[in-house]
Amino acid sequence: MRPRGGLGLSGKLLLLTVPLVMIAAVLLYVPAIANFWVNRLNDRVAAANTAALVLDAAPLGMVPDSLSRQILKSINARAVAIKMGQQRRLLASDNLPAAIEHDIDLRDMTVWEAITGSFRMMLETGNQAIRIVGPGVGNAQFIEIVTDELPLRQSMYRFSRNVVVVALIIAVLTAGLVYLALHYLFVRPMRRLTASLVGFHENPESSARIIVPSQRSDEIGVAERELSDMQRDLMSMLHQKSRLAALGLAVSKINHDLRNLLASAQLLSDQLASVPDPRVQRFAPKLVRSLERAIAFCQSTLSYGRAQEAAPDRRMILIEPVVLEVRETAGLASDASIAWVAAIERGLTVDADPDQLFRVLLNLVRNAAQALESHSSGQGSQGGAQQIRITGKREGAVAILEVSDTGPGVPQKTREHLFEAFQTSGRPGGSGLGLAIAAELVRAHDGEIHLVEGTIGATFRIVIPDRPVELLSIRNERARA
């Protein structure tokens, strides 16, 4: 996907590379022009030394004027002089200027002096005369040469022009290569990532919009793989949310009619409670209690528009009656095929909401019973002993309950999402909500629920801590006592 207006990332990189290369060329040009200037001056000094040897070799120093002018012209000089000992000797001269504008001493020139001297000469105008002093040859201490600076300045201009042309060519070539490299290595993958993001935003529930990561091992490859995983997680979450929304609407419709049916059943149970039969009198209160729970749950579902759990009404309760009611509600009191074992400390109390704790244990017991039934049907007559065991104990201010069975256990592939809705049901007609509801209710009590590893079948451990008691309330109770 390309940007709507302006330059794309590739164009911006191209425009950025050209000035950066030019800046680098300028930084290189400064020492280059200074070095060029010094080299040209040294060339003049070297030519003057050669001319000095010729002039000094003449008998008695007598050199024809025509020959002197030719020598000076060949080295682009107006005069050449040397110093030997305490004597300065003018070897040749032609049309000396009235004044010397600058003296340039090459014997102890620093880098900064070379840079400033070269730019000063380039910025000047006219054709001033300059004197160049350099090391001499033979017995000469130094040599002096008077020359015009215009030819030297013109050669520096030509060198600068060549440097600029070469820098421009290098800048364009470098920018083009950088553009192509960045375009294929970064820009195209970034456009692919951007197109995937835009397409996924348009239809996040379509698996066709999920990017297929490449085999790159750099940061781009990591970004592609992470984006692919994120898109898959979001798509799965959206599918789950859509299913939850549809389920919530269906539950609200069902609860609206189910509440009326349960209200009618409650009226019948009230009439049934007046029957003098002892067996009826024994089971009628439990039936009434179960109907009251169902009606209250349906009413809360309709009130909130979703199955939102209310805050637990916690108090210290005996666990044994709750466990007995769970067994009877699950239909295990009369089921001889599944053994029921309750190993609970005598007088064990739990600081919990009795109705919510009942629902937690009932969900776990029903899951265990269904796992045993499916296991026994698969084993046929070869099935072993079937047992559901509930244990309870107290460790300080914490109550620990365990619900275990001798079934096949929890498959490894479902353990990562064990307490998530719609993730663990593998039975026909199962909703996959039992463990999710149990975990939500336990967390509302500030407790924990988890699967115990290394046991026969499946063992779920519930840990519910007592509520912290404020020291001030204890003191007030003691004071009232």
Side-chain angles (χ1 to χ4, degrees):
M1 178 179 179
R2 297 181 179 275
R4 296 179 180 178
L7 292 174
L9 184 59
S10 300
K12 292 179 180 179
L13 289 173
L14 180 62
L15 293 182
L16 180 62
T17 304
V18 173
L20 288 179
V21 174
M22 293 303 298
I23 292 174
V26 170
L27 296 178
L28 293 175
Y29 168 76
V30 172
I33 190 64
N35 183 66
F36 177 83
W37 180 66
V38 172
N39 288 336
R40 287 294 180 270
L41 296 178
N42 285 324
D43 291 343
R44 297 291 179 89
V45 171
N49 278 315
T50 303
L53 292 176
V54 174
L55 295 173
D56 190 51
L60 301 176
M62 299 299 294
V63 179
D65 292 339
S66 59
L67 180 59
S68 298
R69 286 193 296 269
Q70 290 180 1
I71 294 175
L72 292 175
K73 184 178 180 181
S74 64
I75 63 175
N76 292 322
R78 293 192 180 187
V80 175
I82 59 174
K83 182 179 181 182
M84 302 180 65
Q86 299 298 324
Q87 182 181 7
R88 297 179 65 180
R89 180 181 172 189
L90 181 62
L91 298 179
S93 63
D94 181 33
N95 194 18
L96 284 173
I100 303 297
E101 296 292 334
H102 302 294
D103 289 331
I104 302 175
D105 193 345
L106 298 177
R107 292 173 296 176
D108 54 355
M109 179 174 290
T110 62
V111 175
W112 178 249
E113 290 175 346
I115 294 175
T116 56
S118 61
F119 278 94
R120 182 178 63 246
M121 180 172 290
M122 289 185 64
L123 296 176
E124 288 180 350
T125 58
N127 187 20
Q128 295 84 4
I130 60 174
R131 178 168 52 220
I132 305 172
V133 180
V137 295
N139 297 326
Q141 296 180 3
F142 60 84
I143 187 171
E144 297 175 319
I145 177 174
V146 178
T147 184
D148 297 329
E149 67 174 2
L150 181 60
L152 185 59
R153 186 186 304 123
Q154 291 176 344
S155 64
M156 295 175 68
Y157 286 159
R158 288 192 296 271
F159 175 79
S160 301
R161 183 175 63 252
N162 295 334
V163 168
V164 171
V165 172
V166 172
L168 285 176
I169 295 174
I170 294 176
V172 172
L173 291 177
T174 304
L177 294 175
V178 170
Y179 170 81
L180 293 176
L182 294 179
H183 179 77
Y184 285 99
L185 291 178
F186 300 104
V187 177
R188 288 183 63 184
M190 289 300 298
R191 285 179 179 174
R192 185 167 173 262
L193 288 173
T194 304
S196 178
L197 288 172
V198 173
F200 188 78
H201 178 265
E202 294 175 351
N203 188 5
E205 297 186 8
S206 174
S207 59
R209 302 301 179 93
I210 297 177
I211 188 173
V212 178
S214 62
Q215 301 299 322
R216 297 179 58 156
S217 59
D218 55 6
E219 289 78 0
I220 296 290
V222 173
E224 290 176 346
R225 289 188 289 273
E226 292 297 326
L227 177 60
S228 177
D229 294 341
M230 182 188 69
Q231 289 174 336
R232 293 183 186 278
D233 293 341
L234 287 176
M235 185 184 69
S236 177
M237 188 181 301
L238 288 173
H239 287 169
Q240 183 175 344
K241 293 293 184 181
S242 300
R243 184 176 178 183
L244 283 173
L247 179 62
L249 179 60
V251 168
S252 297
K253 294 178 179 179
I254 293 172
N255 281 341
H256 181 272
D257 296 333
L258 183 59
R259 182 185 58 172
N260 297 330
L261 296 176
L262 291 175
S264 300
Q266 187 179 30
L267 293 177
L268 294 176
S269 65
D270 292 340
Q271 296 177 4
L272 187 63
S274 61
V275 176
D277 190 335
R279 296 181 60 186
V280 174
Q281 292 297 322
R282 178 184 174 187
F283 292 107
K286 297 178 181 180
L287 176 60
V288 172
R289 178 60 177 158
S290 298
L291 290 173
E292 288 177 351
R293 282 198 184 104
I295 293 174
F297 185 70
C298 291
Q299 182 62 41
S300 64
T301 303
L302 290 175
S303 299
Y304 290 98
R306 53 193 173 98
Q308 178 178 356
E309 302 296 343
D313 181 16
R314 301 181 66 173
R315 55 185 180 273
M316 298 301 296
I317 59 172
L318 288 171
I319 192 60
E320 291 179 339
V322 178
V323 172
L324 181 59
E325 188 176 3
V326 167
R327 180 186 181 187
E328 294 176 349
T329 304
L332 298 177
S334 58
D335 190 351
S337 62
I338 299 178
W340 177 271
V341 178
I344 299 175
E345 291 181 354
R346 185 181 300 275
L348 177 62
T349 57
V350 181
D351 186 9
D353 185 315
D355 290 335
Q356 293 189 0
L357 184 59
F358 169 82
R359 291 172 58 194
V360 171
L361 295 177
L362 182 61
N363 278 316
L364 296 178
V365 169
R366 280 180 172 170
N367 282 350
Q370 291 169 354
L372 291 172
E373 291 174 358
S374 61
H375 183 58
S376 63
S377 63
Q379 294 279 337
S381 60
Q382 302 296 326
Q386 297 180 338
Q387 182 185 98
I388 295 178
R389 181 182 179 89
I390 296 184
T391 63
K393 63 181 180 179
R394 174 169 286 275
E395 294 182 357
V398 177
I400 301 176
L401 304 175
E402 288 188 357
V403 179
S404 59
D405 60 67
T406 57
V410 180
Q412 186 64 36
K413 64 180 181 179
T414 62
R415 295 191 178 191
E416 296 181 0
H417 307 282
L418 193 58
F419 298 102
E420 297 180 12
F422 310 119
Q423 299 291 331
T424 58
S425 177
R427 303 180 304 274
S431 64
L433 290 172
L435 291 179
I437 293 174
E440 182 181 356
L441 295 176
V442 171
R443 286 194 294 266
H445 287 76
D446 297 325
E448 296 179 357
I449 180 173
H450 63 274
L451 178 67
V452 180
E453 301 290 344
T455 61
I456 299 175
T459 300
F460 290 92
R461 178 174 296 169
I462 303 170
V463 179
I464 299 180
D466 296 344
R467 288 169 295 171
V469 180
E470 295 183 1
L471 183 60
L472 181 60
S473 63
I474 297 178
R475 290 176 177 174
N476 292 336
E477 291 180 359
R478 290 180 177 178
R480 287 194 297 271

